[in-house]
Amino acid sequence: MRALTWHGKHDVRVDTVPDPEIINPRDAIIRITSTAICGSDLHLYDGYIPTMKAGDILGHEFMGEVVETGARSTLKKGQRVVVPFVIACGSCYFCGKHQYSACDNSNPADNQDISEELWGHPASGLFGYSHMTGGYPGGQAEYVRVPFSDVGPIVIPDGIDDEKVLFLSDILPTGWMAAENADIEPGDTVAVWGCGPVGLFAVQSAFLMGAARVIAIDHFPNRLALAKKFGAEILNYEDSKVYDALMEMTGGIGPDAVIDAVGLESHGLFADNVLDQIKATAFLGTERPHVLRQAIIACRKGGRVSVPGVYGGFVDKFPMGAFMEKGLTMKTGQTHVQHYLPGLLNAIVEGKIDTTFLISHRMALEDAPHGYDIFKNKQDEVTKVVLKPGLAKAA
Ligand SMILES: [Zn+2]
Ligand SMILES: [Zn+2]
């Protein structure tokens, strides 16, 4: 089959690779019909994530048609499914609590040591996201093997277009959980840093949860315009001082909840790909937590801080004084995608959440390297790239 493979910094290629096969009775093989490039794929593209190997297949946002099932899969051939980016067994201690992104069984033991050493406990398995999260081939390909197919994938009813449901795989539940983690109360004012896909879904979700006002902060005019379309007031941090503007907009009180949908950006998750480097002191303080600091300082006393943005290491100059003295609460985490799928699919079907507005570019899988290039280098106009293995390569 054809698949988008990683070969090093800014070097991704569409190669011919072996077709995936059923390995475990709970597996299914999916023929991909749509797959998206994610902001977090750019961390791989930029070479910031350790334990990548040349030839690894990328992609963790995908959907398609079931073409093969293991003896214990509950899926049926011909069904259309969206697959969560988090791989979860459904039966461990954490899955039992619906904390699927903490699954203890989906990351094979020999890959667990790295994250266990870094974070005290091993990470769960993720599709297409390095060997420290299991080394699973991703879905930017013609076919993919889905482990625990009896737990993760959600079956899509006939008549619903791929583009309406594709983002159930990651960014929609991630934006939703970001708003949920902000414990929004009716009438609240919520400030969202970052109008990328997750931030934009957090804006929509915050309003659905009863926020009276959402203030969206970014510097890309197109992305701010999308936030405005969903009713947010917008703040361009290149034109105004964010703290001063937020105080003026909230009568000096500050937002009730703040959401950091930026995270570490592409700056310094890890110093480089050498594992030993992880332990080196040079690694300390390599995150770029400017947004997190600003959000904590701007948040009202007794307010809530939600962090869907990704961090991997240590944060320098964390304003613990402001956090404690103001009595703030923080919630964060990789998304428990499986937990949110039924409710969010309903919200899409009922027209409560719009997902298709985000897609700026559709292209063939064969053109994926170009997709990565423009998604990285033209962020204002390229809000989301969807790859379709069925499309012919652009001339
Ligand atoms: Zn993603
Ligand atoms: Zn589990």
Side-chain angles (χ1 to χ4, degrees):
M1 69 165 181
R2 303 288 282 166
L4 190 275
T5 57
W6 183 92
H7 291 270
K9 186 177 177 182
H10 300 162
D11 182 3
V12 291
R13 308 171 197 167
V14 180
D15 287 336
T16 299
V17 301
D19 290 350
E21 291 173 359
I22 300 279
I23 296 174
N24 181 287
R26 294 171 72 181
D27 290 352
I29 306 292
I30 310 294
R31 181 181 63 81
I32 304 296
T33 51
S34 299
T35 173
I37 303 175
C38 179
S40 63
D41 286 329
L42 295 182
H43 303 323
L44 303 168
Y45 187 64
D46 289 335
Y48 284 115
I49 309 291
T51 74
M52 288 296 292
K53 294 178 185 168
D56 283 351
I57 301 171
L58 303 189
H60 59 269
E61 299 184 353
F62 54 87
M63 64 177 298
E65 182 194 338
V66 179
V67 291
E68 219 183 314
T69 54
R72 287 181 58 205
S73 174
T74 49
L75 298 176
K76 293 181 179 60
K77 278 185 202 174
Q79 282 179 325
R80 287 170 68 225
V81 292
V82 175
V83 180
F85 78 98
V86 167
I87 304 172
C89 76
S91 51
C92 71
Y93 176 83
F94 302 99
C95 287
K97 292 182 175 298
H98 281 215
Q99 293 175 331
Y100 294 99
S101 71
C103 177
D104 241 354
N105 287 330
S106 58
N107 191 354
D110 51 349
N111 288 313
Q112 290 192 354
D113 297 355
I114 307 152
S115 49
E116 189 163 5
E117 186 157 351
L118 253 182
W119 302 324
H121 294 90
S124 66
L126 307 176
F127 284 101
Y129 217 80
S130 87
H131 291 261
M132 67 188 283
T133 59
Y136 290 97
Q140 288 165 6
E142 288 183 294
Y143 298 91
V144 68
R145 175 178 82 95
V146 175
F148 304 117
S149 67
D150 52 329
V151 175
I154 186 163
V155 177
I156 302 303
D158 288 342
I160 301 174
D161 200 52
D162 273 22
E163 294 188 353
K164 281 194 161 173
V165 291
L166 172 62
F167 301 141
L168 286 168
S169 55
D170 175 0
I171 52 177
L172 174 56
T174 298
W176 181 267
M177 188 168 112
E180 195 175 85
N181 278 346
D183 288 338
I184 294 163
E185 293 167 8
D188 271 355
T189 297
V190 180
V192 179
W193 276 255
C195 296
V198 169
L200 290 167
F201 282 133
V203 168
Q204 284 194 68
S205 303
F207 278 124
L208 284 172
M209 291 176 196
R213 299 171 68 194
V214 179
I215 302 167
I217 305 156
D218 204 307
H219 68 134
F220 292 115
N222 276 340
R223 294 185 174 208
L224 285 167
L226 286 173
K228 196 171 181 179
K229 197 181 127 187
F230 291 108
E233 297 160 63
I234 56 174
L235 201 52
N236 186 326
Y237 64 75
E238 285 178 350
D239 300 339
S240 51
K241 286 204 168 106
V242 172
Y243 173 85
D244 294 347
L246 286 174
M247 292 313 117
E248 200 177 306
M249 294 165 92
T250 58
I253 289 177
D256 299 289
V258 295
I259 297 177
D260 169 5
V262 177
L264 58 92
E265 297 181 283
S266 57
H267 292 79
L269 171 53
F270 298 105
D272 65 26
N273 285 355
V274 183
L275 284 183
D276 287 347
Q277 202 89 24
I278 290 171
K279 290 179 258 178
T281 47
F283 172 57
L284 299 172
T286 52
E287 303 282 6
R288 210 173 76 158
H290 184 66
V291 162
L292 187 56
R293 264 186 234 133
Q294 198 172 59
I296 288 171
I297 298 296
C299 190
R300 76 153 162 86
K301 290 182 278 188
R304 289 90 56 190
V305 182
S306 164
V307 186
V310 173
Y311 290 86
F314 298 84
V315 161
D316 195 23
K317 297 189 182 70
F318 182 83
M320 191 61 201
F323 189 72
M324 185 272 161
E325 295 293 346
K326 292 201 288 182
L328 306 185
T329 305
M330 186 191 295
K331 287 188 184 175
T332 182
Q334 293 281 4
T335 310
H336 306 303
V337 179
Q338 287 83 342
H339 174 70
Y340 296 102
L341 287 182
L344 288 176
L345 176 59
N346 265 342
I348 292 169
V349 171
E350 289 168 9
K352 289 181 183 157
I353 291 183
D354 178 18
T355 53
T356 53
F357 72 94
L358 199 57
I359 304 171
S360 57
H361 292 71
R362 300 162 179 85
M363 55 182 75
L365 175 66
E366 296 291 329
D367 295 317
H370 175 62
Y372 271 80
D373 179 41
I374 59 172
F375 190 47
K376 173 167 173 60
N377 294 308
K378 295 183 180 170
Q379 288 194 24
D380 187 37
E381 57 185 272
V382 184
T383 48
K384 196 73 179 173
V385 177
V386 173
L387 305 169
K388 309 251 185 186
L391 281 182
K393 185 173 168 45

